[in-house]
Amino acid sequence: MQVSNGRPRAASSRVSVPIQSVPRLAFVALIAAVAAFPACSAGSGSGSGASTALFATHGGGDPPPENGGGAVVAVLELSSPSVPSFVLHGTVPVPKGTFPRADGKLPFSIRNSDGNVVPTQMEIVSRYPDDQDGADVVEVLAQVDRPAGIAAGVKVQYQVVDDPHASGPLPATEAVAELLRPGKVLLLGYDVFGNEYRLDLFRDVRKHVGNGAARILRKGPAAVQVATYGTMRPLGPKLGAPDGALPHFFGAHAYATAWRAGDAVSLDLHVNNGPSGADKSDPQDDPLGKVYFSRLELVVPSGWTLQQDVEDPYFGAPYAKNGAVAYPIVAPMASGEMHVMPPQAQFVRRLALAPAGKEAEARSLLDMEWLGYARRGPSPDGGELYSWWNPLTSRYFPQRHKLPDLSYLGHSTVESKLKSTFKGLEQLLRTGAAGNSYPISSPVLGWAHPWGVKYGGMTGGTEVWLFDGFMTAEVSSREGYRTSQIAHRMYTDRQPVALYDKDGETTCLSDWVVHGAQGDYVNFSFFLKPVTIGSATDPFGYKKAPTWQADHVKSVGLTPSYEVDICAYSPIDFQHYTRYTRSLKVLAWLGNDAAAKDDLRQAAELFRLSWHDMPNSASGAVQGSGLLSAIQTVQAYPGTGMAFGRGEGWGLDAACAAYSVSDPAWRADIRPWMQTIADTVAMGQSSCNGFIQAMVSPKLLNGSYKGRQSIEQAIGENALWSLRESVLRDADVLRFQKIGEVIEHSVYAMIGPMAWHAGSSGSWSGPWSHLAVAPLDPLLAPYCGSIPSGGSGNGPDKYQTWTSFAYGYELTGDPIFLQRATEMSGKPDLWSGIKAEGFGKLENMAGLIAVLQ
């Protein structure tokens, strides 16, 4: 056998500005040779590849001629930064065929305050389902000036105009060019015996030196972003038991961005203890088990400073080290105890480097002062601006849905809410304190400050949201975006699911396929993490992890006091996956954030490893929670319902999000699996009552029937909508139509006589939360039109289901969906009902509000 690897807001605090000509600057060229990656690799942005020479200086050149560009196609708004010149960047949804162009030119430029366009760069954020249609969301970037006389913090707008032009290289200072060279920025770690481990974040990767590779994610006249991956290696010769070094230490993704505006460099760092063990010939990707360490630090050249977005209690004071400066990003414990990272643990840090004296520029970057947000309304040149609210370009989230106009809530109220939330979270993260209630119930645990409770399947609808980030987009809120960054960080702290191959790619299903004599299979069970308890197989090698350092830490009493708590945090499970992935989607769609996009792909691959259509052994064993089990059941009993609920719904949602923001090669690899899901759900949906989910659970009507839960039905419908809009539309016409029919039948079932609870005095109307859909015996027909006595329970649901009514109305135009939504609101008219809810269920009502508007 063989293994294969709306209208503009009028406000006195807002200034609309057209940016000035660029002065003569020394240009620095980026030369990128695109490298080949395996099918399950996932490039993004400008492409992926090894760099032969990251920067090469050139002469100056004349300033571009004055040019105002053409028609206004979009407007970006932000609170004016604290620095006078900055790289404005923001995401804009665009029509099909806008970018890339056949002639290689960039279609848009940004206007400065003097009315002239400036050198503008464009990057792909997400793509239409059909790769030939190009990007559906782009990022535009250009160095601009803060308007004269405008104070920091005042809302300003910049116009994005039609202006086809060639791209150009990045002007960068010699200081930045020198910083981004091998040996300049090092990640160091120290184990319990004092052994040092080192990773050169900007090592020479021209020939894939070591076990890493560089990806060029942004490339142009405004910014260059390079992503690298590597594994920390022991520095000394002493290896192994009883007191030597481990074969390797942590893996780290580094995302470094040089900006046209000056000398500051952004550095996002993602550290993991999740090697996959996929390469059996190389110990550098073998799992380590629990890893104990005294400290982790970044070493930067003398004269450079390092700042963190929020300086937590374990961000230590810098000190001189061998002619350079060391910054502890995880400082030693005052008690002398070791820190610990459990198996598959991971964390994210957002940092910025700047020469001494330029700290304000770095702080401005970290505070996300340069990020703009697309505005809605008419263009001064006719037509509607490209925005999330324009029906032509309503491409938000994997649902690709129009956003609601929230002006009815009051923009100042929305802004105040977002600022208050951010300030509260920032204070807790900065001080390391526990909050008085959810979401931060734990104090800092060494390197981690986890979000939420320890149980990853926490009961309740908190943060189980279909949409997020739209309030941030509505009011161009810097604090709203930074809240999503904090959520990303603190959720990652409690999400021990990292599983990376030695090249830094999330391990994927095709890494583990065995081509056996009886067909392909994977030789393990997997459910978000490898299933090792009670399993005779250990393909990842976690049962073989070295223990001599862990044993020593325990024997000498250096186990950290927080170990029990951090190890008690289980990852957010598939049934609640959106609690983790929601912030990733916000950062991807509103910020083109590379780390978040990579984490979305990780979330998708982990779901595919858990829910695939292959046997789990050479003998044909089938994981009961897997897709193959669902397929076999559906084939045996078609049209009677299936096991498709919130876990499958949120996993599919994550996969659709990752599909949207990834490159064509990764999409091609994952597409057949997603098509199989579409076919299976279409075959499994009950042909007589329209419900998809039919499961047996003691929590559903005491397990007396096969049932469906309304929140799971709504989550599943939302996921199928995402599949239809992000994967199938225009690219797979037959499945697109079929999934549309599946959703239609499902939403009609939700409001039909079986499911609908008509409220009376003292109770509200809505779909029954728990509903019997079929007898336990699979040979008996599902219930059609009516249910048995005791076949409903837990009252009507009015939390998760609102946007399902929107999907039903959009698919059919049938006013019954709006009528049912009105009944559920308990008000004489639906709009009054929506306003009465305020912010309470806004994230699940967003789709319906947008449809009404």
Side-chain angles (χ1 to χ4, degrees), residues 205-217:
V205 295
R206 287 177 296 176
K207 296 181 179 179
H208 291 219
V209 171
N211 63 351
R215 292 177 291 153
I216 311 304
L217 304 183

Side-chain angles (χ1 to χ4, degrees), residues 243-328:
D243 59 354
L246 295 164
H248 64 87
F249 224 43
F250 305 125
H253 294 82
Y255 306 84
T257 310
W259 304 87
R260 185 185 183 101
D263 289 325
V265 173
S266 303
L267 178 61
D268 294 342
L269 195 63
H270 187 166
V271 177
N272 76 84
N273 182 26
S276 71
D279 188 338
K280 303 308 179 186
S281 66
D282 190 345
Q284 294 304 313
D285 74 339
D286 288 353
L288 298 174
K290 290 181 183 178
V291 173
Y292 294 88
F293 64 101
S294 61
R295 69 188 188 277
L296 284 177
E297 56 194 29
L298 277 174
V299 177
V300 303
S302 178
W304 281 82
T305 64
L306 181 73
Q307 297 181 66
Q308 187 170 243
D309 59 346
V310 181
E311 296 191 357
D312 61 89
Y314 281 92
F315 188 74
Y319 65 94
K321 182 169 186 164
N322 300 328
V325 183
Y327 283 83

Side-chain angles (χ1 to χ4, degrees), residues 7 27 56 64 123 233 250-252 268 302 332 452 469 517 614 632 658 742 765 811:
R7 290 182 289 186
F27 275 79
E123 304 290 350
R233 307 289 185 94
F250 305 125
D268 294 342
S302 178
M614 293 185 185
Q632 292 175 340
V742 169
S765 296
L811 282 169

Side-chain angles (χ1 to χ4, degrees), residues 785-840:
S786 61
I787 57 175
S789 176
S792 60
N794 211 40
D797 169 31
K798 60 178 299 185
Y799 178 76
Q800 204 82 58
T801 56
W802 297 92
T803 290
S804 286
F805 298 128
Y807 295 154
Y809 184 73
E810 288 178 283
L811 282 169
T812 69
D814 191 338
I816 187 62
F817 292 103
L818 302 186
Q819 178 184 326
R820 287 287 189 254
T822 303
E823 294 172 20
M824 194 162 72
S825 77
K827 300 295 180 181
D829 64 90
L830 182 53
W831 190 241
S832 295
I834 286 172
K835 289 192 290 186
E837 292 287 351
F839 292 96

